[in-house]
Amino acid sequence: VAQRVGQRQQVARRGGRPTLIGILASQFFPPMVFFVPFYIILQRVGLLNSWGDLTVRGQLGSSGGALAFTGNVHSIEILSGGRLLGNVDLGGGDSHLDLADGSIFDGVLSGGAGTDSIRFGQTGAILLDGARILGFEQVSADQAASVALRNSFNLSSMEIAGDLSIQQGARLATTELILGGALDIQGGFAGSIRGNGANAILLAAGDAANPVNFADVSQVGQLRMASGYAQISGKAGFTSIEMQGGRIV
């Protein structure tokens, strides 16, 4: 028997994919099995079908708990009002997690093996913590007004619709950063940047031992450097460069 929280747990099929309605608590007495189309034993969720897609309208997981997926998890969508809680491991395969505007995540996310992506659909200002978002190769926030990064991210791509701030002590290493707004670098950065033609890069970080490393920079307007140390290893073009201090090599 599963422990129920707040409202009755239900499993339904809608639109060709499993839908989780209500609250799925992660405290279960073994053996606990949900049939059609997935099962839960203890704190593990195994998708019993080849598509491996899950939509959450209520709550999945519990605060401080652990939730591990097995099998090929292709896509998990947390809808507006939905909650994803605890330490969540998406397991093997190429997985995608979509957090809609109005959804809540509180815990640690691990993408697991494969090429994994996560999309943040929030429209306001959001803070992304590299200590709580682990093992993902692609990160996007295509609706956010501004995004701040804490701790370290090592990615193949990041796409930000608005402004991006790399805080002091944080570091972003990415093959490509696709940027819609300004980039404020107060921590570490390494990678290529593609802007929209009107972006500004504000730079106040780096030293000779740990420089800010620009590979290719394209479609970026201004570079404004207050202090620090940066190097350009590829091709970079700016409409204007303003240096109040620091060094570029």
Side-chain angles (χ1 to χ4, degrees):
V1 177
Q3 203 172 24
R4 295 190 296 179
V5 180
Q7 55 184 300
R8 190 179 62 176
Q9 301 164 1
Q10 301 178 47
V11 176
R13 290 285 298 277
R14 291 187 179 180
R17 65 189 298 179
T19 302
L20 194 66
I21 306 172
I23 296 180
L24 259 177
S26 64
Q27 294 85 21
F28 297 100
F29 300 98
M32 181 59 209
V33 180
F34 275 99
F35 296 96
V36 290
F38 59 86
Y39 68 91
I40 301 169
I41 301 179
L42 295 177
Q43 293 172 332
R44 300 188 66 81
V45 177
L47 299 181
L48 294 179
N49 47 67
S50 60
W51 61 76
D53 292 345
L54 179 64
T55 298
V56 178
R57 299 179 184 275
Q59 178 173 311
L60 180 61
S62 64
S63 181
L67 185 64
F69 289 81
T70 63
N72 294 319
V73 181
H74 297 296
S75 176
I76 299 176
E77 183 179 8
I78 312 298
L79 300 180
S80 180
R83 298 164 60 89
L84 181 62
L85 305 180
N87 299 323
V88 181
D89 186 349
L90 298 185
D94 299 339
S95 304
H96 175 72
L97 175 63
D98 192 292
L99 296 167
D101 190 30
S103 67
I104 294 175
F105 167 72
D106 187 8
V108 176
L109 286 172
S110 176
T115 300
D116 306 299
S117 60
I118 182 170
R119 173 187 174 270
F120 294 89
Q122 288 82 356
T123 57
I126 61 176
L127 172 66
L128 303 183
D129 190 340
R132 298 176 58 193
I133 303 171
L134 308 172
F136 286 88
E137 287 70 40
Q138 301 168 358
V139 174
S140 67
D142 56 7
Q143 303 293 325
S146 63
V147 176
L149 300 185
R150 176 186 294 170
N151 291 309
S152 295
F153 289 83
N154 191 355
L155 308 170
S156 62
S157 68
M158 172 173 272
E159 182 173 358
I160 305 297
D163 298 335
L164 175 63
S165 172
I166 304 174
Q167 297 182 343
Q168 290 185 5
R171 185 176 188 272
L172 171 61
T174 180
T175 303
E176 183 179 43
L177 170 62
I178 302 171
L179 192 62
L183 173 61
D184 184 5
I185 304 176
Q186 302 178 38
F189 176 81
S192 295
I193 301 172
R194 176 158 56 94
N196 60 10
N199 312 78
I201 296 178
L202 315 176
L203 179 57
D207 54 38
N210 298 286
V212 171
N213 189 353
F214 296 114
D216 294 328
V217 180
S218 63
Q219 301 180 51
V220 172
Q222 299 178 328
L223 173 62
R224 300 204 295 266
M225 189 169 186
S227 61
Y229 192 105
Q231 64 181 21
I232 300 173
S233 58
K235 297 179 180 180
F238 303 96
T239 57
S240 66
I241 298 176
E242 177 184 326
M243 293 188 65
Q244 298 177 348
R247 184 178 180 184
I248 301 175
V249 298

